[in-house]
mmCIF file of all heavy atoms in Angstrom:
data_model
loop_
_atom_site.group_PDB
_atom_site.id
_atom_site.type_symbol
_atom_site.label_atom_id
_atom_site.label_comp_id
_atom_site.label_asym_id
_atom_site.label_seq_id
_atom_site.Cartn_x
_atom_site.Cartn_y
_atom_site.Cartn_z
ATOM 1 N N PHE F 1 18.756 24.377 -15.647
ATOM 2 C CA PHE F 1 18.948 23.681 -14.375
ATOM 3 C C PHE F 1 17.662 23.655 -13.546
ATOM 4 O O PHE F 1 17.332 22.651 -12.922
ATOM 5 C CB PHE F 1 20.068 24.348 -13.575
ATOM 6 C CG PHE F 1 20.439 23.592 -12.324
ATOM 7 C CD1 PHE F 1 21.193 22.431 -12.396
ATOM 8 C CD2 PHE F 1 20.019 24.033 -11.081
ATOM 9 C CE1 PHE F 1 21.531 21.722 -11.250
ATOM 10 C CE2 PHE F 1 20.347 23.336 -9.933
ATOM 11 C CZ PHE F 1 21.107 22.174 -10.016
ATOM 12 N N THR F 2 16.919 24.756 -13.577
ATOM 13 C CA THR F 2 15.692 24.808 -12.777
ATOM 14 C C THR F 2 14.602 23.901 -13.341
ATOM 15 O O THR F 2 13.700 23.480 -12.620
ATOM 16 C CB THR F 2 15.149 26.250 -12.696
ATOM 17 O OG1 THR F 2 14.974 26.758 -14.018
ATOM 18 C CG2 THR F 2 16.094 27.144 -11.921
ATOM 19 N N THR F 3 14.660 23.598 -14.632
ATOM 20 C CA THR F 3 13.644 22.720 -15.227
ATOM 21 C C THR F 3 14.122 21.264 -15.316
ATOM 22 O O THR F 3 13.328 20.376 -15.630
ATOM 23 C CB THR F 3 13.267 23.197 -16.642
ATOM 24 O OG1 THR F 3 14.433 23.186 -17.476
ATOM 25 C CG2 THR F 3 12.677 24.595 -16.601
ATOM 26 N N ALA F 4 15.401 21.036 -15.031
ATOM 27 C CA ALA F 4 15.951 19.684 -15.176
ATOM 28 C C ALA F 4 15.288 18.688 -14.234
ATOM 29 O O ALA F 4 15.049 17.538 -14.609
ATOM 30 C CB ALA F 4 17.466 19.703 -14.940
ATOM 31 N N SER F 5 14.978 19.116 -13.031
ATOM 32 C CA SER F 5 14.364 18.215 -12.057
ATOM 33 C C SER F 5 13.009 17.718 -12.539
ATOM 34 O O SER F 5 12.729 16.517 -12.530
ATOM 35 C CB SER F 5 14.211 18.921 -10.709
ATOM 36 O OG SER F 5 13.583 18.063 -9.773
ATOM 37 N N ASP F 6 12.168 18.644 -12.984
ATOM 38 C CA ASP F 6 10.848 18.254 -13.490
ATOM 39 C C ASP F 6 10.990 17.317 -14.679
ATOM 40 O O ASP F 6 10.267 16.320 -14.791
ATOM 41 C CB ASP F 6 10.045 19.487 -13.901
ATOM 42 C CG ASP F 6 9.592 20.297 -12.702
ATOM 43 O OD1 ASP F 6 9.666 19.767 -11.574
ATOM 44 O OD2 ASP F 6 9.167 21.449 -12.890
ATOM 45 N N LEU F 7 11.916 17.656 -15.575
ATOM 46 C CA LEU F 7 12.098 16.849 -16.772
ATOM 47 C C LEU F 7 12.579 15.453 -16.414
ATOM 48 O O LEU F 7 12.121 14.454 -16.994
ATOM 49 C CB LEU F 7 13.109 17.539 -17.690
ATOM 50 C CG LEU F 7 13.314 16.927 -19.080
ATOM 51 C CD1 LEU F 7 12.014 16.924 -19.856
ATOM 52 C CD2 LEU F 7 14.383 17.698 -19.838
ATOM 53 N N LYS F 8 13.485 15.365 -15.452
ATOM 54 C CA LYS F 8 14.024 14.073 -15.046
ATOM 55 C C LYS F 8 12.922 13.147 -14.551
ATOM 56 O O LYS F 8 12.797 11.995 -14.998
ATOM 57 C CB LYS F 8 15.072 14.273 -13.948
ATOM 58 C CG LYS F 8 15.604 12.978 -13.347
ATOM 59 C CD LYS F 8 16.630 13.252 -12.250
ATOM 60 C CE LYS F 8 17.122 11.960 -11.619
ATOM 61 N NZ LYS F 8 18.152 12.216 -10.586
ATOM 62 N N TYR F 9 12.110 13.642 -13.621
ATOM 63 C CA TYR F 9 11.093 12.777 -13.029
ATOM 64 C C TYR F 9 9.885 12.597 -13.936
ATOM 65 O O TYR F 9 9.219 11.560 -13.889
ATOM 66 C CB TYR F 9 10.703 13.316 -11.651
ATOM 67 C CG TYR F 9 11.853 13.208 -10.679
ATOM 68 C CD1 TYR F 9 12.542 14.325 -10.240
ATOM 69 C CD2 TYR F 9 12.297 11.957 -10.247
ATOM 70 C CE1 TYR F 9 13.623 14.210 -9.386
ATOM 71 C CE2 TYR F 9 13.379 11.832 -9.392
ATOM 72 C CZ TYR F 9 14.035 12.959 -8.964
ATOM 73 O OH TYR F 9 15.125 12.836 -8.124
ATOM 74 N N LEU F 10 9.624 13.568 -14.782
ATOM 75 C CA LEU F 10 8.579 13.399 -15.785
ATOM 76 C C LEU F 10 8.924 12.240 -16.714
ATOM 77 O O LEU F 10 8.091 11.365 -16.988
ATOM 78 C CB LEU F 10 8.408 14.694 -16.593
ATOM 79 C CG LEU F 10 7.454 14.632 -17.787
ATOM 80 C CD1 LEU F 10 6.020 14.432 -17.312
ATOM 81 C CD2 LEU F 10 7.558 15.890 -18.633
ATOM 82 N N ASN F 11 10.158 12.217 -17.178
ATOM 83 C CA ASN F 11 10.588 11.142 -18.074
ATOM 84 C C ASN F 11 10.605 9.791 -17.362
ATOM 85 O O ASN F 11 10.299 8.762 -17.963
ATOM 86 C CB ASN F 11 11.973 11.462 -18.649
ATOM 87 C CG ASN F 11 11.927 12.573 -19.663
ATOM 88 O OD1 ASN F 11 10.923 12.752 -20.350
ATOM 89 N ND2 ASN F 11 12.991 13.342 -19.769
ATOM 90 N N LYS F 12 10.972 9.803 -16.071
ATOM 91 C CA LYS F 12 10.973 8.546 -15.312
ATOM 92 C C LYS F 12 9.564 7.985 -15.174
ATOM 93 O O LYS F 12 9.349 6.778 -15.327
ATOM 94 C CB LYS F 12 11.579 8.775 -13.924
ATOM 95 C CG LYS F 12 13.093 8.766 -13.903
ATOM 96 C CD LYS F 12 13.598 8.703 -12.462
ATOM 97 C CE LYS F 12 15.101 8.437 -12.428
ATOM 98 N NZ LYS F 12 15.583 8.230 -11.046
ATOM 99 N N VAL F 13 8.613 8.856 -14.869
ATOM 100 C CA VAL F 13 7.221 8.409 -14.721
ATOM 101 C C VAL F 13 6.688 7.887 -16.057
ATOM 102 O O VAL F 13 6.056 6.831 -16.118
ATOM 103 C CB VAL F 13 6.336 9.557 -14.192
ATOM 104 C CG1 VAL F 13 4.862 9.165 -14.252
ATOM 105 C CG2 VAL F 13 6.714 9.902 -12.762
ATOM 106 N N LYS F 14 6.952 8.629 -17.137
ATOM 107 C CA LYS F 14 6.489 8.198 -18.459
ATOM 108 C C LYS F 14 7.102 6.860 -18.846
ATOM 109 O O LYS F 14 6.421 5.976 -19.381
ATOM 110 C CB LYS F 14 6.845 9.266 -19.500
ATOM 111 C CG LYS F 14 5.960 10.499 -19.424
ATOM 112 C CD LYS F 14 6.537 11.658 -20.204
ATOM 113 C CE LYS F 14 6.709 11.351 -21.675
ATOM 114 N NZ LYS F 14 7.247 12.511 -22.418
ATOM 115 N N SER F 15 8.396 6.711 -18.574
ATOM 116 C CA SER F 15 9.074 5.465 -18.895
ATOM 117 C C SER F 15 8.488 4.303 -18.090
ATOM 118 O O SER F 15 8.253 3.208 -18.621
ATOM 119 C CB SER F 15 10.575 5.603 -18.619
ATOM 120 O OG SER F 15 11.250 4.395 -18.857
ATOM 121 N N PHE F 16 8.245 4.559 -16.806
ATOM 122 C CA PHE F 16 7.668 3.520 -15.944
ATOM 123 C C PHE F 16 6.285 3.106 -16.439
ATOM 124 O O PHE F 16 5.979 1.909 -16.552
ATOM 125 C CB PHE F 16 7.586 4.034 -14.508
ATOM 126 C CG PHE F 16 6.820 3.127 -13.586
ATOM 127 C CD1 PHE F 16 7.413 1.973 -13.077
ATOM 128 C CD2 PHE F 16 5.505 3.402 -13.232
ATOM 129 C CE1 PHE F 16 6.716 1.123 -12.230
ATOM 130 C CE2 PHE F 16 4.792 2.563 -12.391
ATOM 131 C CZ PHE F 16 5.400 1.419 -11.887
ATOM 132 N N LEU F 17 5.452 4.086 -16.743
ATOM 133 C CA LEU F 17 4.088 3.776 -17.198
ATOM 134 C C LEU F 17 4.102 3.033 -18.528
ATOM 135 O O LEU F 17 3.316 2.108 -18.745
ATOM 136 C CB LEU F 17 3.273 5.070 -17.318
ATOM 137 C CG LEU F 17 2.932 5.762 -15.996
ATOM 138 C CD1 LEU F 17 2.223 7.084 -16.259
ATOM 139 C CD2 LEU F 17 2.071 4.861 -15.122
ATOM 140 N N TYR F 18 5.021 3.449 -19.400
ATOM 141 C CA TYR F 18 5.109 2.763 -20.694
ATOM 142 C C TYR F 18 5.529 1.311 -20.506
ATOM 143 O O TYR F 18 4.976 0.396 -21.135
ATOM 144 C CB TYR F 18 6.099 3.481 -21.601
ATOM 145 C CG TYR F 18 6.227 2.830 -22.964
ATOM 146 C CD1 TYR F 18 5.270 3.047 -23.949
ATOM 147 C CD2 TYR F 18 7.296 1.982 -23.268
ATOM 148 C CE1 TYR F 18 5.366 2.446 -25.192
ATOM 149 C CE2 TYR F 18 7.403 1.375 -24.505
ATOM 150 C CZ TYR F 18 6.427 1.618 -25.468
ATOM 151 O OH TYR F 18 6.539 1.012 -26.691
ATOM 152 N N GLU F 19 6.504 1.076 -19.633
ATOM 153 C CA GLU F 19 6.963 -0.292 -19.370
ATOM 154 C C GLU F 19 5.841 -1.143 -18.782
ATOM 155 O O GLU F 19 5.663 -2.312 -19.155
ATOM 156 C CB GLU F 19 8.159 -0.268 -18.420
ATOM 157 C CG GLU F 19 9.436 0.270 -19.056
ATOM 158 C CD GLU F 19 10.537 0.485 -18.034
ATOM 159 O OE1 GLU F 19 10.308 0.134 -16.855
ATOM 160 O OE2 GLU F 19 11.608 0.999 -18.402
ATOM 161 N N GLN F 20 5.068 -0.550 -17.860
ATOM 162 C CA GLN F 20 3.968 -1.301 -17.254
ATOM 163 C C GLN F 20 2.849 -1.564 -18.255
ATOM 164 O O GLN F 20 2.167 -2.584 -18.182
ATOM 165 C CB GLN F 20 3.414 -0.550 -16.036
ATOM 166 C CG GLN F 20 4.431 -0.288 -14.948
ATOM 167 C CD GLN F 20 5.190 -1.549 -14.539
ATOM 168 O OE1 GLN F 20 4.596 -2.621 -14.382
ATOM 169 N NE2 GLN F 20 6.501 -1.439 -14.388
ATOM 170 N N TRP F 21 2.687 -0.636 -19.174
ATOM 171 C CA TRP F 21 1.677 -0.815 -20.222
ATOM 172 C C TRP F 21 2.058 -1.993 -21.128
ATOM 173 O O TRP F 21 1.243 -2.840 -21.460
ATOM 174 C CB TRP F 21 1.561 0.479 -21.019
ATOM 175 C CG TRP F 21 0.518 0.453 -22.107
ATOM 176 C CD1 TRP F 21 -0.458 -0.489 -22.307
ATOM 177 C CD2 TRP F 21 0.345 1.427 -23.134
ATOM 178 N NE1 TRP F 21 -1.228 -0.161 -23.390
ATOM 179 C CE2 TRP F 21 -0.754 1.014 -23.919
ATOM 180 C CE3 TRP F 21 1.005 2.601 -23.473
ATOM 181 C CZ2 TRP F 21 -1.198 1.750 -25.023
ATOM 182 C CZ3 TRP F 21 0.546 3.332 -24.563
ATOM 183 C CH2 TRP F 21 -0.539 2.904 -25.322
ATOM 184 N N GLU F 22 3.319 -2.040 -21.494
ATOM 185 C CA GLU F 22 3.777 -3.094 -22.397
ATOM 186 C C GLU F 22 3.926 -4.431 -21.673
ATOM 187 O O GLU F 22 3.441 -5.463 -22.148
ATOM 188 C CB GLU F 22 5.122 -2.685 -23.019
ATOM 189 C CG GLU F 22 5.030 -1.536 -24.009
ATOM 190 C CD GLU F 22 4.303 -1.943 -25.272
ATOM 191 O OE1 GLU F 22 4.617 -3.000 -25.842
ATOM 192 O OE2 GLU F 22 3.387 -1.195 -25.678
ATOM 193 N N ASN F 23 4.617 -4.400 -20.535
ATOM 194 C CA ASN F 23 4.879 -5.634 -19.779
ATOM 195 C C ASN F 23 4.801 -5.345 -18.283
ATOM 196 O O ASN F 23 5.821 -5.051 -17.647
ATOM 197 C CB ASN F 23 6.273 -6.189 -20.130
ATOM 198 C CG ASN F 23 6.367 -6.641 -21.566
ATOM 199 O OD1 ASN F 23 5.701 -7.590 -21.964
ATOM 200 N ND2 ASN F 23 7.198 -5.955 -22.338
ATOM 201 N N PRO F 24 3.609 -5.384 -17.719
ATOM 202 C CA PRO F 24 3.471 -5.077 -16.291
ATOM 203 C C PRO F 24 4.258 -6.041 -15.415
ATOM 204 O O PRO F 24 4.250 -7.249 -15.639
ATOM 205 C CB PRO F 24 1.962 -5.202 -16.046
ATOM 206 C CG PRO F 24 1.435 -6.027 -17.174
ATOM 207 C CD PRO F 24 2.323 -5.741 -18.339
ATOM 208 N N THR F 25 4.961 -5.502 -14.438
ATOM 209 C CA THR F 25 5.736 -6.339 -13.520
ATOM 210 C C THR F 25 4.809 -7.011 -12.509
ATOM 211 O O THR F 25 3.659 -6.603 -12.320
ATOM 212 C CB THR F 25 6.771 -5.493 -12.758
ATOM 213 O OG1 THR F 25 6.067 -4.514 -11.965
ATOM 214 C CG2 THR F 25 7.718 -4.792 -13.713
ATOM 215 N N GLU F 26 5.349 -8.014 -11.836
ATOM 216 C CA GLU F 26 4.545 -8.735 -10.837
ATOM 217 C C GLU F 26 4.126 -7.792 -9.711
ATOM 218 O O GLU F 26 2.983 -7.852 -9.234
ATOM 219 C CB GLU F 26 5.347 -9.913 -10.274
ATOM 220 C CG GLU F 26 4.549 -10.780 -9.300
ATOM 221 C CD GLU F 26 5.330 -11.989 -8.821
ATOM 222 O OE1 GLU F 26 6.331 -12.352 -9.491
ATOM 223 O OE2 GLU F 26 4.957 -12.550 -7.777
ATOM 224 N N ASP F 27 5.031 -6.920 -9.279
ATOM 225 C CA ASP F 27 4.704 -5.978 -8.206
ATOM 226 C C ASP F 27 3.581 -5.028 -8.631
ATOM 227 O O ASP F 27 2.694 -4.700 -7.833
ATOM 228 C CB ASP F 27 5.938 -5.173 -7.801
ATOM 229 C CG ASP F 27 6.933 -5.997 -7.009
ATOM 230 O OD1 ASP F 27 6.527 -7.052 -6.478
ATOM 231 O OD2 ASP F 27 8.108 -5.595 -6.933
ATOM 232 N N PHE F 28 3.655 -4.589 -9.874
ATOM 233 C CA PHE F 28 2.627 -3.677 -10.367
ATOM 234 C C PHE F 28 1.273 -4.383 -10.452
ATOM 235 O O PHE F 28 0.238 -3.819 -10.081
ATOM 236 C CB PHE F 28 3.026 -3.125 -11.741
ATOM 237 C CG PHE F 28 2.114 -2.058 -12.266
ATOM 238 C CD1 PHE F 28 2.158 -0.774 -11.743
ATOM 239 C CD2 PHE F 28 1.202 -2.331 -13.274
ATOM 240 C CE1 PHE F 28 1.317 0.221 -12.219
ATOM 241 C CE2 PHE F 28 0.354 -1.343 -13.755
ATOM 242 C CZ PHE F 28 0.426 -0.059 -13.230
ATOM 243 N N ILE F 29 1.289 -5.620 -10.935
ATOM 244 C CA ILE F 29 0.050 -6.400 -11.012
ATOM 245 C C ILE F 29 -0.521 -6.615 -9.618
ATOM 246 O O ILE F 29 -1.729 -6.477 -9.393
ATOM 247 C CB ILE F 29 0.303 -7.742 -11.717
ATOM 248 C CG1 ILE F 29 0.671 -7.512 -13.191
ATOM 249 C CG2 ILE F 29 -0.928 -8.646 -11.626
ATOM 250 C CD1 ILE F 29 1.149 -8.756 -13.900
ATOM 251 N N LYS F 30 0.360 -6.926 -8.657
ATOM 252 C CA LYS F 30 -0.094 -7.116 -7.272
ATOM 253 C C LYS F 30 -0.744 -5.849 -6.730
ATOM 254 O O LYS F 30 -1.766 -5.909 -6.021
ATOM 255 C CB LYS F 30 1.091 -7.498 -6.382
ATOM 256 C CG LYS F 30 1.544 -8.941 -6.514
ATOM 257 C CD LYS F 30 2.707 -9.210 -5.561
ATOM 258 C CE LYS F 30 3.182 -10.664 -5.665
ATOM 259 N NZ LYS F 30 4.340 -10.925 -4.770
ATOM 260 N N TYR F 31 -0.140 -4.709 -7.053
ATOM 261 C CA TYR F 31 -0.682 -3.437 -6.570
ATOM 262 C C TYR F 31 -2.094 -3.199 -7.133
ATOM 263 O O TYR F 31 -3.022 -2.847 -6.386
ATOM 264 C CB TYR F 31 0.235 -2.289 -6.973
ATOM 265 C CG TYR F 31 -0.319 -0.921 -6.649
ATOM 266 C CD1 TYR F 31 -0.304 -0.434 -5.343
ATOM 267 C CD2 TYR F 31 -0.889 -0.133 -7.648
ATOM 268 C CE1 TYR F 31 -0.837 0.810 -5.041
ATOM 269 C CE2 TYR F 31 -1.425 1.110 -7.347
ATOM 270 C CZ TYR F 31 -1.393 1.579 -6.047
ATOM 271 O OH TYR F 31 -1.940 2.796 -5.752
ATOM 272 N N ILE F 32 -2.264 -3.407 -8.441
ATOM 273 C CA ILE F 32 -3.577 -3.193 -9.070
ATOM 274 C C ILE F 32 -4.593 -4.190 -8.530
ATOM 275 O O ILE F 32 -5.713 -3.817 -8.152
ATOM 276 C CB ILE F 32 -3.474 -3.322 -10.597
ATOM 277 C CG1 ILE F 32 -2.537 -2.251 -11.174
ATOM 278 C CG2 ILE F 32 -4.857 -3.227 -11.236
ATOM 279 C CD1 ILE F 32 -3.054 -0.843 -11.063
ATOM 280 N N VAL F 33 -4.191 -5.460 -8.488
ATOM 281 C CA VAL F 33 -5.113 -6.500 -8.007
ATOM 282 C C VAL F 33 -5.505 -6.227 -6.558
ATOM 283 O O VAL F 33 -6.666 -6.382 -6.165
ATOM 284 C CB VAL F 33 -4.471 -7.895 -8.151
ATOM 285 C CG1 VAL F 33 -5.356 -8.956 -7.491
ATOM 286 C CG2 VAL F 33 -4.271 -8.235 -9.628
ATOM 287 N N GLY F 34 -4.541 -5.806 -5.743
ATOM 288 C CA GLY F 34 -4.825 -5.513 -4.347
ATOM 289 C C GLY F 34 -5.839 -4.393 -4.171
ATOM 290 O O GLY F 34 -6.577 -4.359 -3.183
ATOM 291 N N ALA F 35 -5.893 -3.472 -5.141
ATOM 292 C CA ALA F 35 -6.805 -2.339 -5.049
ATOM 293 C C ALA F 35 -8.214 -2.670 -5.545
ATOM 294 O O ALA F 35 -9.167 -1.981 -5.188
ATOM 295 C CB ALA F 35 -6.241 -1.162 -5.845
ATOM 296 N N ILE F 36 -8.350 -3.738 -6.380
ATOM 297 C CA ILE F 36 -9.656 -3.998 -6.999
ATOM 298 C C ILE F 36 -10.231 -5.376 -6.683
ATOM 299 O O ILE F 36 -11.393 -5.646 -6.967
ATOM 300 C CB ILE F 36 -9.565 -3.857 -8.539
ATOM 301 C CG1 ILE F 36 -8.608 -4.911 -9.120
ATOM 302 C CG2 ILE F 36 -9.115 -2.448 -8.935
ATOM 303 C CD1 ILE F 36 -8.577 -4.953 -10.632
ATOM 304 N N TYR F 37 -9.429 -6.250 -6.077
ATOM 305 C CA TYR F 37 -9.857 -7.642 -5.880
ATOM 306 C C TYR F 37 -9.702 -8.027 -4.419
ATOM 307 O O TYR F 37 -8.620 -7.875 -3.833
ATOM 308 C CB TYR F 37 -9.016 -8.560 -6.776
ATOM 309 C CG TYR F 37 -9.386 -10.028 -6.717
ATOM 310 C CD1 TYR F 37 -10.573 -10.489 -7.257
ATOM 311 C CD2 TYR F 37 -8.515 -10.944 -6.121
ATOM 312 C CE1 TYR F 37 -10.904 -11.839 -7.205
ATOM 313 C CE2 TYR F 37 -8.824 -12.298 -6.072
ATOM 314 C CZ TYR F 37 -10.031 -12.737 -6.615
ATOM 315 O OH TYR F 37 -10.355 -14.072 -6.566
ATOM 316 N N ASP F 38 -10.803 -8.523 -3.822
ATOM 317 C CA ASP F 38 -10.798 -8.837 -2.392
ATOM 318 C C ASP F 38 -10.394 -10.276 -2.080
ATOM 319 O O ASP F 38 -10.143 -10.613 -0.925
ATOM 320 C CB ASP F 38 -12.197 -8.584 -1.790
ATOM 321 C CG ASP F 38 -12.562 -7.111 -1.827
ATOM 322 O OD1 ASP F 38 -11.641 -6.271 -1.730
ATOM 323 O OD2 ASP F 38 -13.767 -6.798 -1.964
ATOM 324 N N GLY F 39 -10.332 -11.127 -3.113
ATOM 325 C CA GLY F 39 -10.008 -12.535 -2.882
ATOM 326 C C GLY F 39 -8.528 -12.763 -2.653
ATOM 327 O O GLY F 39 -7.718 -11.822 -2.563
ATOM 328 N N MET F 40 -8.149 -14.021 -2.562
ATOM 329 C CA MET F 40 -6.746 -14.394 -2.355
ATOM 330 C C MET F 40 -5.916 -14.035 -3.587
ATOM 331 O O MET F 40 -6.325 -14.287 -4.715
ATOM 332 C CB MET F 40 -6.651 -15.902 -2.085
ATOM 333 C CG MET F 40 -7.293 -16.333 -0.769
ATOM 334 S SD MET F 40 -6.335 -15.775 0.664
ATOM 335 C CE MET F 40 -4.845 -16.760 0.476
ATOM 336 N N LYS F 41 -4.756 -13.437 -3.342
ATOM 337 C CA LYS F 41 -3.869 -13.044 -4.437
ATOM 338 C C LYS F 41 -2.875 -14.172 -4.730
ATOM 339 O O LYS F 41 -1.679 -14.063 -4.471
ATOM 340 C CB LYS F 41 -3.119 -11.763 -4.114
ATOM 341 C CG LYS F 41 -3.957 -10.487 -4.240
ATOM 342 C CD LYS F 41 -4.943 -10.335 -3.111
ATOM 343 C CE LYS F 41 -5.641 -8.980 -3.143
ATOM 344 N NZ LYS F 41 -6.660 -8.871 -2.075
ATOM 345 N N THR F 42 -3.378 -15.266 -5.261
ATOM 346 C CA THR F 42 -2.516 -16.398 -5.587
ATOM 347 C C THR F 42 -1.803 -16.140 -6.911
ATOM 348 O O THR F 42 -2.121 -15.204 -7.648
ATOM 349 C CB THR F 42 -3.344 -17.687 -5.694
ATOM 350 O OG1 THR F 42 -4.254 -17.558 -6.794
ATOM 351 C CG2 THR F 42 -4.127 -17.940 -4.413
ATOM 352 N N LYS F 43 -0.848 -17.004 -7.224
ATOM 353 C CA LYS F 43 -0.116 -16.882 -8.485
ATOM 354 C C LYS F 43 -1.067 -16.997 -9.669
ATOM 355 O O LYS F 43 -0.944 -16.255 -10.658
ATOM 356 C CB LYS F 43 0.970 -17.959 -8.563
ATOM 357 C CG LYS F 43 1.853 -17.830 -9.796
ATOM 358 C CD LYS F 43 2.972 -18.864 -9.778
ATOM 359 C CE LYS F 43 3.859 -18.708 -11.015
ATOM 360 N NZ LYS F 43 4.965 -19.700 -11.024
ATOM 361 N N ASN F 44 -2.022 -17.940 -9.565
ATOM 362 C CA ASN F 44 -2.992 -18.107 -10.653
ATOM 363 C C ASN F 44 -3.856 -16.858 -10.820
ATOM 364 O O ASN F 44 -4.205 -16.473 -11.947
ATOM 365 C CB ASN F 44 -3.885 -19.323 -10.376
ATOM 366 C CG ASN F 44 -3.150 -20.631 -10.580
ATOM 367 O OD1 ASN F 44 -2.134 -20.680 -11.284
ATOM 368 N ND2 ASN F 44 -3.625 -21.694 -9.945
#
């Protein structure tokens, strides 16, 4: 029980990162682009 919390969120983070690695979501792309690109964040 004391380790279940860490395991739960560890697996959630790993699952999220794996999903973004395979097929990054629009929100995730926006977040990365917003951190590295100063121009307009258009759809293109």
Side-chain angles (χ1 to χ4, degrees):
F1 187 76
T2 55
T3 60
S5 178
D6 289 346
L7 187 60
K8 174 181 178 178
Y9 293 109
L10 174 67
N11 288 330
K12 278 192 170 186
V13 171
K14 286 166 60 179
S15 177
F16 171 78
L17 291 175
Y18 181 79
E19 289 171 4
Q20 301 309 317
W21 182 12
E22 290 291 312
N23 294 295
T25 62
E26 184 176 342
D27 287 341
F28 187 75
I29 294 171
K30 283 181 180 178
Y31 174 76
I32 298 292
V33 173
I36 63 173
Y37 182 70
D38 294 329
M40 293 289 293
K41 284 74 172 177
T42 64
K43 185 176 181 180
N44 287 339

